[in-house]
Amino acid sequence: SFYLVGIVILAYLFGSIPTAVWFGQAFYGVDVREYGSGNAGATNTFRVLGKKAGSIVMFVDILKGWTATNLPFLLDSSLVGNHDAPQFVNIQLALGVIAVLGHLFPIFAGFRGGKGVATLFGMVLAIHWPAALMCVSVFLIVLFVTHYVSLSSIMAGFTFPFSIAFIFKTTVPSILLYGIAICALILVTHQKNIERLLKGHESKIYLFKKKSK
Ligand code: G3P
């Protein structure tokens, strides 16, 4: 239906909001894509502009994924389909991934976006919050032990389908299928990070490092 097309476009536009780029340009006069890893994401904003900027970008990027995934509920869900039906989650999953694609290829920033981790997290949060909690836990543990955000993102990505399958034992196969697809997507967007990790060149992130003056 027209409504579904509209909602798909809206999800893409939401994901397309280049938070890192716009925030950096507006408040620091800096395009974060010209520094650090060159990525338009929360991690690189943290790296280039600091903790406060990174946290705000992370929050907004999570919100993008969450909002896109919940669009049918925020608008009139009855127009999309019966939201009590188990298949309804398929529409939500698709909208979440479309928002992530918007984040990766933002129409508002020359199609050069980020890696989609925060936006994926917002989507997972909207779909299955206990699994999202597992993902955050794994992310934080890996980050505190290794100080590699990329590795933490990859491990958190794998946590989603694993927890869905073995801990929460979902009966909705599409969540598991999307979970596996998300893992593949994270591996693709983190190719350069994986190369750097293997060579020992990946930059480390310290959440609680005192700034030396
Ligand atoms: O969220 C992206 C993160 O996993 C890696 O970012 O800037 O270190 O490539 P970055």
Side-chain angles (χ1 to χ4, degrees), residues 154 186-187 190-199:
I154 294 166
I186 290 182
L187 289 177
H190 285 75
Q191 274 179 90
K192 293 231 170 72
N193 301 84
I194 293 168
E195 278 170 32
R196 287 196 291 266
L197 283 166
L198 292 174
K199 287 183 188 149

Side-chain angles (χ1 to χ4, degrees), residues 35-45 47 103 114-118 139 148-154 186 189-190 192-193 196 202-203 205:
Y35 301 92
S37 67
N39 194 54
T43 305
N44 203 38
T45 304
R47 190 180 284 124
H103 180 87
K115 294 173 185 167
V117 175
F139 181 92
Y148 294 127
V149 177
S150 53
L151 187 63
S152 309
S153 300
I154 294 166
I186 290 182
T189 58
H190 285 75
K192 293 231 170 72
N193 301 84
R196 287 196 291 266
E202 180 67 317
S203 76
I205 289 278

Side-chain angles (χ1 to χ4, degrees), residues 137-152:
S137 310
V138 168
F139 181 92
L140 289 176
I141 291 168
V142 178
L143 186 61
F144 280 118
V145 172
T146 70
H147 299 287
Y148 294 127
V149 177
S150 53
L151 187 63
S152 309

